[in-house]
Amino acid sequence: MNEVKKPKKSLTFYYVIAIVILFLFNLIAMPNISEGKIVEVDYGKFMSMTAEGDIGKVEIQTNRILFTDKAEKNVYKTGILDDPTLIERLHEAGAVFSGEIIEETSPILSFVLSWVFPVLFMIILGNIISRVFMKKAGGNNSMMFNMGKSNAKVYVRSSDGIKFSDVAGEDEAKESLAEVVDYLHNPQKYTEIGASMPKGILLVGPPGTGKTMLAKAVAGEANVPFFSMSGSEFVEMFVGMGASKVRDLFKQAKEKAPCIVFIDEIDAIGQKRDGRLGGNDEREQTLNQLLTEMDGFQGNNGVIILAATNRPETLDPALTRPGRFDRRVPVELPDLKGREEILKVHARKIKTEDNVDFLAVARMASGASGAELANIVNEAALRAVRDGRKTVSQADLEESIEVVIAGYQKKNAILTDKEKMLVAYHEIGHALVAAKQKNTAPVQKITIVPRTSGALGYTMQTEENNKYLLTKAELENKIATLTGGRAAEYLMAGTVTTGASNDIEQATKLARAMVTRFGMTEKFGMVALETESNRYLGGDTASACSAETLSDVDGLVVDIIKTQYQKALDILTENREKLHELAVFLYRNETISGKEFTEILNE
Ligand code: ADP
Ligand code: ZN
């Protein structure tokens, strides 16, 4: 899919250069070349050579004298002076007066030499240079010759292009896009009935969920050219370039129709236009041009525009209204089955052992995006290579989940025994609270191996099934589980550590959401006190209430967390022996599986 074909460019520029060089060449170089090596000497030297008799042939022209030495080896030239006795002296010196010291080249030959040959030479050179330049300018533009041209890469039809089967999961998105493919294959079917395809389709979802892949797959399935360009590429150095790039992109696309135009990160140009002073003029112009272009072509001319974004709420309403990007296809994080399929798709590229259970791996990797799953498979393969094995095992995959997911929390330390025991208590605390509350997911695995790039301890909880709705009780249990780590430290060692900072953050976020967004408190009921501003990028929130209300909110959040902490502490106090037993097991083995955990718990 990566053969990149550049649109053809005008060569006039190179030819102009070639002609200019040719003129200079004729002016400066030609005379010397055709006259071979003539040595210019002063008149004095000519006179002394004449006096010494060292003169061969002589030719006196209107404005210069050409002569050779006696042996006729070298040709000299000199200027003409008023020298009445020159001829006599030359005659005495034995000079031969001849008219053919320099052979006149034939006029045809000289024409060929001075005009035809250089022209040919320049054309060839120009071609070579232009080709080299175009290759260089391939991806990013070489400013001089390429200003304002779009850099859209054309992925030419190719038999090994990405197909829908390469994109695992995402069935809803695929279904929605399959229609587009069908339309590109068979437009009459739609035009007959008077239906027109949406001009633009917006793929919306978190990073790494396969939006780009889906767009490519549409092009691959429909077997049409695929133009791709990133929103940020439109907004470049020069003001006004963005708009002309948009124009150029659409011009190319219309020539190649039917085709797919893919604009990645469309939020880079499509942000809401606001009247702010000093707003980004360039971006607005680019956006305006995009809107104009989208209006300018008829629905059924075979150009389908796909765009991807993970911040749909920032897009300008003009862009999302019907007639432009009128269809929105959500590309969400994969669910359990989706994750299993994605793992399998990527595992096709590597050699795995026969007994690998992808479902189990998918279960552990809850919340991972397609890109992360691809990364997990690759990490597993690397691990197998590192260990000198030929195939990837289940253990490799499980280990690499932790590298990829837990690995983000850094800390490269060798724990002292005391610290290690504390970490064991902390992690078992989480797991025990989770296990003792009915509604929380059972533990899959706990490790306290300090990772080069990972946390001190890691509890891998697994969801058996996908959950789309969480009840109030489940949320509270989640918070209790998060506080379980700190509660265990306090209960068993009488101290608290910094190790719980991440837990605290998460618990607070949950509790806050319960109050401000989920309407789960009696005091406020179903009032939205906060709005979520970007759902697909971590979900930042902005408050939408007065300062007094905010301080009430804070109070409620504190209450919720304190209650849940107390609940966790109670559970752990009740199961103090088990907590100790499990922690010692974890301390000794550094890792405990879900099975071992339940066994010890139920002894
Ligand atoms: P996005 O454009 O949504 O940020 P990409 O389409 O660039 O994500 O995906 C990045 C990589 O993640 C892909 O190259 C692919 O290897 C992997 N990937 C993501 N989603 C999927 C999926 N549904 N099936 C298979 N691979 C996927
Ligand atoms: Zn913790």
Side-chain angles (χ1 to χ4, degrees):
M1 275 301 269
N2 269 333
E3 313 152 43
V4 177
K5 206 206 242 167
K6 267 312 233 189
K8 213 178 163 161
K9 287 215 184 73
S10 142
L11 287 175
T12 330
F13 181 85
Y14 303 106
Y15 289 139
V16 170
I17 287 203
I19 303 284
V20 169
I21 292 179
L22 177 56
F23 264 106
L24 293 177
F25 180 74
N26 263 317
L27 221 62
I28 300 162
M30 252 346 239
N32 291 337
I33 288 176
S34 61
E35 288 180 4
K37 35 184 172 39
I38 297 179
V39 186
E40 183 162 5
V41 293
D42 61 26
Y43 203 79
K45 169 105 174 151
F46 176 47
M47 281 170 73
S48 60
M49 280 174 76
T50 314
E52 284 161 21
D54 189 13
I55 288 284
K57 289 180 181 172
V58 177
E59 182 185 345
I60 299 176
Q61 299 181 335
T62 44
N63 56 353
R64 61 178 182 177
I65 301 169
L66 297 171
F67 63 98
T68 68
D69 52 13
K70 193 94 208 161
E72 291 183 23
K73 252 193 195 155
N74 298 316
V75 181
Y76 302 93
K77 77 174 176 191
T78 187
I80 287 191
L81 288 185
D82 188 18
D83 188 351
T85 60
L86 175 64
I87 309 291
E88 245 171 74
R89 277 188 284 125
L90 281 173
H91 186 66
E92 275 165 24
V96 183
F97 295 96
S98 98
E100 43 192 43
I101 290 184
I102 290 157
E103 277 170 38
E104 281 271 322
T105 40
S106 85
I108 296 175
L109 185 67
S110 99
F111 177 76
V112 166
L113 261 174
S114 61
W115 288 102
V116 179
F117 176 70
V119 166
L120 281 177
F121 176 75
M122 288 296 163
I123 288 177
I124 292 168
L125 191 70
N127 265 320
I128 291 172
I129 289 177
S130 79
R131 221 163 275 160
V132 169
F133 259 110
M134 299 218 169
K135 251 186 209 147
K136 273 211 188 126
N140 41 26
N141 64 351
S142 88
M143 282 174 8
M144 234 196 308
F145 314 126
N146 207 11
M147 256 191 240
K149 292 261 182 180
S150 91
N151 304 319
K153 303 169 194 76
V154 184
Y155 292 86
V156 190
R157 287 162 224 219
S158 122
S159 52
D160 56 15
I162 295 180
K163 290 281 166 69
F164 276 147
S165 57
D166 296 311
V167 188
E170 308 299 352
D171 291 331
E172 298 79 13
K174 276 195 263 183
E175 207 169 284
S176 189
L177 293 171
E179 199 179 45
V180 175
V181 175
D182 186 49
Y183 166 76
L184 288 170
H185 275 310
N186 198 352
Q188 301 94 301
K189 199 165 99 187
Y190 292 80
T191 45
E192 259 168 29
I193 212 169
S196 58
M197 260 299 118
K199 279 184 198 170
I201 297 178
L202 199 57
L203 300 168
V204 178
T209 44
K211 296 184 291 297
T212 313
M213 268 188 107
L214 275 167
K216 282 186 190 167
V218 172
E221 291 280 343
N223 203 21
V224 297
F226 179 73
F227 293 80
S228 102
M229 184 132 181
S230 166
S232 54
E233 282 174 61
F234 283 113
V235 188
E236 271 181 13
M237 241 183 288
F238 300 103
V239 177
M241 285 304 125
S244 82
K245 275 184 182 172
V246 172
R247 221 173 298 132
D248 193 64
L249 174 65
F250 276 82
K251 198 171 136 242
Q252 282 183 43
K254 278 181 220 161
E255 280 163 11
K256 290 262 160 52
C259 66
I260 305 265
V261 174
F262 178 62
I263 305 176
D264 206 355
E265 305 167 48
I266 193 164
D267 40 291
I269 45 169
Q271 255 170 42
K272 280 196 190 95
R273 290 164 293 183
D274 42 16
R276 255 186 306 140
L277 256 175
N280 193 338
D281 259 5
E282 165 67 346
R283 219 193 49 219
E284 284 184 16
Q285 279 181 24
T286 311
L287 175 56
N288 286 338
Q289 187 64 42
L290 182 63
L291 296 177
T292 318
E293 290 289 349
M294 288 194 78
D295 286 341
F297 66 87
Q298 270 82 47
N300 283 327
N301 73 350
V303 180
I304 304 256
I305 303 162
L306 298 180
T309 180
N310 31 41
R311 288 156 53 190
E313 69 287 331
T314 64
L315 290 181
D316 196 285
L319 202 54
T320 47
R321 78 147 169 76
R324 281 150 186 169
F325 286 102
D326 37 15
R327 187 176 286 186
R328 187 183 276 221
V329 175
V331 186
E332 300 282 356
L333 285 176
D335 56 12
L336 180 61
K337 191 161 153 285
R339 290 199 299 274
E340 186 188 357
E341 280 168 19
I342 294 174
L343 284 169
K344 280 183 181 161
V345 163
H346 287 282
R348 272 192 236 143
K349 292 172 222 151
I350 61 170
K351 289 205 183 87
T352 52
E353 279 170 16
D354 295 336
N355 62 353
V356 169
D357 180 1
F358 287 106
L359 185 62
V361 180
R363 207 168 256 147
M364 289 183 199
S366 81
S369 69
E372 278 169 330
L373 291 168
N375 197 4
I376 286 170
V377 173
N378 192 49
E379 281 291 336
L382 290 177
R383 195 178 116 105
V385 173
R386 230 177 285 137
D387 290 1
R389 276 177 284 113
K390 292 264 182 260
T391 53
V392 172
S393 69
Q394 180 86 13
D396 289 328
L397 285 163
E398 287 180 14
E399 173 67 22
S400 59
I401 293 176
E402 288 168 47
V403 170
V404 172
I405 293 178
Y408 295 142
Q409 302 154 14
K410 69 124 241 161
K411 217 162 272 181
N412 180 10
I414 296 167
L415 299 180
T416 64
D417 286 351
K418 197 170 159 232
E419 280 173 332
K420 202 164 138 191
M421 195 64 214
L422 265 178
V423 174
Y425 280 134
H426 179 108
E427 296 302 332
I428 295 290
H430 283 305
L432 201 54
V433 173
K436 285 289 167 186
Q437 301 175 112
K438 288 214 179 59
N439 296 326
T440 40
V443 196
Q444 183 81 28
K445 186 177 174 189
I446 306 171
T447 55
I448 53 166
V449 186
R451 316 184 151 277
T452 41
S453 58
L456 296 179
Y458 177 59
T459 301
M460 196 187 283
Q461 297 197 7
T462 55
E463 15 150 32
E464 285 299 322
N465 297 304
N466 284 294
K467 278 214 164 275
Y468 298 105
L469 287 176
L470 286 172
T471 63
K472 186 178 173 191
E474 281 165 339
L475 279 173
E476 285 172 346
N477 286 346
K478 264 193 153 174
I479 296 175
T481 304
L482 284 167
T483 59
R486 162 63 65 87
E489 284 174 32
Y490 179 72
L491 185 67
M492 305 309 284
T495 56
V496 291
T497 68
T498 53
S501 60
N502 187 38
D503 302 335
I504 291 171
E505 207 178 302
Q506 284 190 44
T508 312
K509 227 176 180 173
L510 272 180
R512 197 169 188 88
M514 282 173 71
V515 181
T516 61
R517 299 202 345 259
F518 304 149
M520 287 180 175
T521 53
E522 263 168 40
K523 178 164 179 130
F524 291 119
M526 289 179 60
V527 175
L529 302 172
E530 267 179 3
T531 49
E532 202 173 26
S533 51
N534 54 27
R535 186 160 126 44
Y536 295 114
L537 293 176
D540 295 340
T541 52
S543 72
C545 59
S546 71
E548 294 96 83
T549 316
L550 263 186
S551 77
D552 286 354
V553 169
D554 293 338
L556 285 174
V557 170
V558 173
D559 286 349
I560 293 177
I561 292 184
K562 278 201 171 153
T563 315
Q564 295 313 315
Y565 177 78
Q566 194 54 48
K567 185 165 105 192
L569 203 56
D570 292 345
I571 292 175
L572 293 177
T573 317
E574 230 171 82
N575 299 282
R576 210 186 160 116
E577 270 80 68
K578 287 289 176 200
L579 174 58
H580 183 69
E581 202 183 331
L582 285 161
V584 169
F585 183 95
L586 181 57
Y587 174 83
R588 290 211 184 104
N589 299 288
E590 296 199 337
T591 166
I592 183 169
S593 71
K595 224 173 103 206
E596 289 163 336
F597 183 90
T598 3
E599 270 168 21
I600 296 177
L601 191 63
N602 297 334
E603 257 168 20

